Amino acid sequence: MQLRPALNEAIERLTAERVPSPRMNAELLLMFAFGCDRAYLFAHPERELTSDEMSRYDTAVGERSRGVPAQYITGHQEFWGMDLIVTPAVLIPRPETEHVVEAVLQTVGVRPQASDHKPRASEEFMEVPAVRGLRSDARIVDVATGSGCVALALAKELPHAEIHATDNSSAALEVARANAARHQLEDRIQFHETDLLAGLKPPFDLVVSNPPYVGDCEEDQVQLEVRKFEPRSAVFAGPTGTEVIARLIPQAHSILRPGGWLIMEVSGTIVDRLRNLLEGWDNVEVATDLQAIPRVVKARKR
Ligand SMILES: C[S@@+](CC[C@H](N)C(=O)[O-])C[C@H]1O[C@@H](n2cnc3c(N)ncnc32)[C@H](O)[C@@H]1O
């Protein structure tokens, strides 16, 4: 079969299976199966596919049709301008998590350098003057690092910072280490297999985290693909959604120096409960994303 009819057939199949954005998915999987870029797809519509290529494409489209996220099929996801490896052992990095990186950089008083990074947050958010008492050589720990996306972005942007990353999943840490090596950042990040911040040596200037924050009670509002294919321990925190964060806040308080910052990704569902958990902290701020959904909470240790 030629490339163009193969693409059209896949679009029809994905449409019939109600896969969102069927054309985009069909193109992405075709690029993956043939190891080519988008320009090639459109420059060579008459190219004949070998039986190996056809079989690889067919398998990929079949997987996507049964709901497997495209990133787990291709093994890749872009974050902060970096191509990251992803496996079913890690949460697929989300664009909204780039707000967390932006919040850290803004707190440290550094503008993003990655030439290929397009700011996610509003200009207003980025323009807030950074009189935060932090230096760009801060000691920072990324708790619940998963694929390592946040730690890697910070290592890239803050060449003088001392960066640590923790996760309690050895399989996730394996992926995070592979990503660090892939971007020549393996000497910049110290990985720890541990529960939240257990065993890390204080003091830190900044604790950052995108922890699990969905409650079991919200399960039916979570996309089926997420529930079926992403690691449950990366998404769900317990019955109400604040269970992991409720343990993280006091641990962060113990490990931070006075004046140090805690920055976390949150959801609109838990943000009000978080304000109570952060009683006794200074400068508690909530930043919204471009859809005006509360996304990042910052708090400063007294
Ligand atoms: C929401 S994912 C975030 C991954 C990554 N930071 C990101 O933003 O894409 C949460 C991560 O927390 C890890 N995790 C869950 N409970 C943990 C705990 N008690 N201690 C350390 N890591 C934990 C999971 O293994 C998962 O990798």
Side-chain angles (χ1 to χ4, degrees):
M1 190 185 272
Q2 289 180 334
L3 209 146
R4 172 61 57 80
L7 180 65
N8 289 341
E9 206 173 86
I11 293 169
E12 274 175 33
R13 194 167 156 196
L14 294 170
T15 305
E17 296 292 341
R18 299 177 186 281
V19 173
S21 314
R23 173 173 292 278
M24 194 198 77
N25 274 284
E27 287 175 8
L28 186 74
L29 297 177
L30 196 52
M31 291 187 273
F32 159 70
F34 304 141
C36 68
D37 61 13
R38 204 158 182 276
Y40 184 93
L41 285 192
F42 294 99
H44 304 280
E46 75 301 337
R47 148 97 140 76
E48 278 293 334
L49 307 178
T50 66
S51 59
D52 272 2
E53 288 168 339
M54 201 56 226
S55 140
R56 203 159 48 234
Y57 190 40
D58 198 49
T59 306
V61 173
E63 291 275 277
R64 190 68 194 96
S65 299
R66 69 177 186 91
V68 180
Q71 293 90 336
Y72 288 152
I73 301 171
T74 63
H76 294 267
Q77 170 65 18
E78 187 255 331
F79 185 86
W80 203 262
M82 290 178 286
D83 177 44
L84 300 186
I85 298 164
V86 290
T87 74
V90 297
L91 190 90
I92 298 164
R94 305 294 204 269
E96 55 268 28
T97 301
E98 295 193 346
H99 287 300
V100 175
V101 177
E102 287 173 343
V104 173
L105 297 182
Q106 191 259 339
T107 303
V108 175
V110 165
R111 284 199 159 269
Q113 293 302 308
S115 56
D116 35 9
H117 171 67
K118 295 171 194 66
R120 300 269 173 204
S122 65
E123 279 306 303
E124 190 188 353
F125 182 74
M126 291 301 293
E127 289 303 333
V128 175
V131 234
R132 306 291 182 183
L134 270 191
R135 300 194 322 238
S136 59
D137 61 352
R139 277 190 97 217
I140 297 175
V141 53
D142 170 29
V143 180
T145 198
S147 61
C149 56
V150 171
L152 262 81
L154 294 176
K156 193 170 166 188
E157 296 289 346
L158 300 171
H160 305 296
E162 178 184 320
I163 295 176
H164 295 252
T166 78
D167 206 289
N168 64 354
S169 155
S170 56
L173 284 171
E174 208 173 299
V175 175
R177 285 197 180 95
N179 279 319
R182 186 175 170 78
H183 293 280
Q184 292 83 47
L185 294 168
E186 66 270 45
D187 297 338
R188 294 289 325 288
I189 305 170
Q190 298 173 49
F191 292 99
H192 309 263
E193 184 180 341
T194 190
D195 177 50
L196 302 178
L197 286 160
L200 270 79
K201 202 167 156 277
F204 277 87
D205 299 292
L206 198 148
V207 174
V208 58
S209 186
N210 174 18
Y213 54 70
V214 181
D216 298 339
C217 55
E218 302 170 83
E219 183 152 359
D220 55 0
Q221 291 156 47
V222 176
Q223 272 185 318
L224 188 61
E225 276 186 14
V226 175
R227 279 186 270 155
K228 271 179 82 176
F229 298 104
E230 300 205 52
R232 189 170 177 91
S233 57
V235 178
F236 292 95
T240 70
T242 49
E243 288 77 1
V244 174
I245 286 180
R247 290 197 305 115
L248 174 59
I249 290 174
Q251 289 190 24
H253 197 271
S254 304
I255 212 166
L256 283 170
R257 66 161 171 80
W261 287 86
L262 170 61
I263 297 181
M264 294 178 290
E265 177 168 327
V266 298
S267 70
T269 319
I270 63 164
V271 74
D272 290 333
R273 279 176 279 152
L274 262 190
R275 287 185 199 276
N276 295 333
L277 292 171
L278 287 166
E279 214 166 282
W281 292 68
D282 283 338
N283 304 84
V284 177
E285 290 172 30
V286 179
T288 53
D289 61 21
L290 295 175
Q291 277 80 49
I293 297 169
R295 186 57 65 195
V296 183
V297 166
K298 296 166 59 161
R300 190 174 200 183
K301 179 175 168 176
R302 253 174 218 161

